[in-house]
Amino acid sequence: MLHMKDLNLENKRVFIRLDLNVPLKNNKIISSERIDRSLPTIKLALKKNAKIILASHLGRPKEGQYDKKFSLFPVFKYLKKKLPEVNITFSKKYLEGINVNTHQIVVLENVRFNCGETDNNIDLSKQYANLCDIFVMDAFATAHRIESSTYGICNFVQKSCIGPLLYSEVKTLKNILNKSKHPIVTIIGGAKVSTKFNLLSSLLKITDTMLLGGGIANTFISLFYPIGKSLYEKNFQNKAKTLYKTKKILLPIDSRVSTSYSIDSIATIKSVSNILPHEEILDIGNKTVQKYKKIIQQAKTILWNGPMGVFEFPNFSKGTEEIAKSIANSTAFSVAGGGDTIAVIDLFNIYKKISYISTGGGAFLEFIENKTLPILEKLKK
């Protein structure tokens, strides 16, 4: 692959696809980790006297519609603070062309506001390519997605290369996968059930024990007990049954439940076999925490992606906090990945105690599964 560090970027229009998809609350950035990890790439482009265009998505807005809560404007303001000596501008309408000078940065508005972005639309890919001379792919967290700003642009731009952050992520994860010590414990949580389900079977090939929480665990629990109005995916029950037969998956034995989904909801701890129709599971319970902690303490390698429950609600953050701190205090080599996982690491201030933090969630899991990603194959060609 061509590497950004090896190319002459002098006076070239360089379109850098970053992952600036940070969590926001009331237009304020909750965790700046992904932006901070992208700063060395931006500084390298400045050092090489490039004309810099920065692109990213943020959240999942309705395509073709502007929505203030998904705007990258707070990210633009953060970059201005971090790079006060640089001329940084923000562009909402850029598809017909923009002016950018050497040692200047133009931050583009959320690419997912553009029609056709997630469908890898050919015309949109051409419009991105027309903005630049060189495309730099440096967004590991979206490297598994075949979209116009992450993949399609490569078909029409003069030169495409890999950025330092993406290269570093791939190199580190390859080393980890090749040298992982057993027992390997995989901890998977979060609400995105279907997106992670396809990867669980691959992870089960390399893992010794898999600990589940969140919506994913609910789908498995629903095979044995009624789970009230808890989040789960009925369509995946048969697949869950097949995976459970590996005998490597451990499920919660108790849960924190509530009758409503709200920040003020009161938590009640109940056995998973005793959930009533009007109740929903929002976190793992104390017995599950103790069971999971014993296994984490014996691990030599830990792969972690996703919280154990609705950690944003104080009454339902206990399970995630206990498991996160157990991972942090483990002697195992720990690898964590994904936006929610990074938010948990920030919230409980365990950043320095995790061996390696990947900026990617889905990409992190897909790379573990396939040892490559679509854009990497594209850049090789």
Side-chain angles (χ1 to χ4, degrees), residues 25-303:
K25 195 172 185 180
N26 302 325
N27 283 332
K28 286 196 168 63
I29 295 166
I30 299 168
S31 168
S32 62
E33 168 70 9
R34 282 177 166 172
I35 312 175
D36 297 337
R37 292 276 287 271
S38 297
L39 284 172
T41 302
I42 298 167
K43 287 174 181 174
L44 177 62
L46 288 166
K47 194 178 172 185
K48 285 176 167 278
N49 296 317
K51 299 173 178 181
I52 304 161
I53 300 161
L54 302 182
S56 176
H57 76 286
L58 195 147
R60 298 178 180 217
K62 203 168 184 182
E63 230 174 59
Q65 289 181 23
Y66 173 80
D67 186 338
K68 191 182 176 184
K69 72 177 179 197
F70 294 113
S71 174
L72 276 168
F73 194 74
V75 174
F76 156 71
K77 288 203 295 190
Y78 182 84
L79 284 169
K80 275 183 84 74
K81 270 188 201 163
K82 280 285 180 179
L83 302 164
E85 71 291 350
V86 183
N87 176 13
I88 307 178
T89 58
F90 187 69
S91 180
K92 274 188 178 181
K93 293 182 179 176
Y94 49 83
L95 291 177
E96 301 307 317
I98 46 173
N99 289 321
V100 56
N101 300 313
T102 301
H103 223 262
Q104 183 193 353
I105 296 171
V106 177
V107 179
L108 306 184
E109 181 56 286
N110 191 342
V111 292
R112 286 195 181 161
F113 289 160
N114 301 325
C115 283
E117 166 63 23
T118 54
D119 295 330
N120 192 30
N121 179 274
I122 288 174
D123 293 329
L124 182 60
S125 300
K126 283 179 181 174
Q127 284 178 298
Y128 290 145
N130 288 337
L131 298 176
C132 64
D133 306 303
I134 294 168
F135 170 62
V136 178
M137 179 55 180
D138 208 32
F140 178 70
T142 52
H144 61 310
R145 300 193 186 279
I146 297 176
E147 297 178 351
S148 288
S149 69
T150 61
Y151 188 91
I153 183 174
C154 292
N155 293 320
F156 306 105
V157 78
Q158 296 166 29
K159 225 175 236 178
S160 298
C161 65
I162 191 169
L165 178 57
L166 178 54
Y167 178 72
S168 156
E169 288 263 24
V170 169
K171 192 179 173 187
T172 307
L173 287 176
K174 268 192 173 169
N175 284 340
I176 290 163
L177 292 176
N178 292 336
K179 295 170 186 173
S180 291
K181 288 181 182 170
H182 288 265
I184 298 173
V185 174
T186 306
I187 300 153
I188 304 285
K192 290 185 208 166
V193 187
S194 45
T195 52
K196 291 179 186 176
F197 243 92
N198 299 333
L199 301 162
L200 292 184
S201 52
S202 298
L203 288 167
L204 284 165
K205 288 173 192 167
I206 62 164
T207 195
D208 296 294
T209 309
M210 183 177 281
L211 312 177
L212 297 184
I216 288 181
N218 295 347
T219 301
F220 282 85
I221 296 167
S222 74
L223 300 174
F224 309 103
Y225 308 110
I227 54 167
K229 54 180 186 174
S230 307
L231 170 76
Y232 84 112
E233 286 200 347
K234 199 173 182 179
N235 295 344
F236 282 91
Q237 283 180 316
N238 284 338
K239 196 164 188 182
K241 211 175 278 181
T242 306
L243 295 179
Y244 194 72
K245 284 176 185 168
T246 61
K247 296 185 177 174
K248 291 183 176 184
I249 293 172
L250 284 192
L251 300 176
I253 48 177
D254 63 343
S255 301
R256 283 179 174 80
V257 305
S258 178
T259 53
S260 63
Y261 185 88
S262 148
I263 196 158
D264 302 316
S265 296
I266 303 298
T268 307
I269 298 179
K270 299 187 82 171
S271 161
V272 293
S273 61
N274 199 21
I275 311 293
L276 299 175
H278 62 288
E279 293 174 328
E280 63 182 310
I281 298 167
L282 297 177
D283 190 17
I284 59 173
N286 295 341
K287 286 179 183 172
T288 304
V289 166
Q290 293 313 314
K291 180 182 167 185
Y292 282 10
K293 278 167 95 168
K294 278 181 189 168
I295 288 150
I296 289 166
Q297 282 159 10
Q298 291 161 5
K300 290 276 196 302
T301 306
I302 295 169
L303 303 174

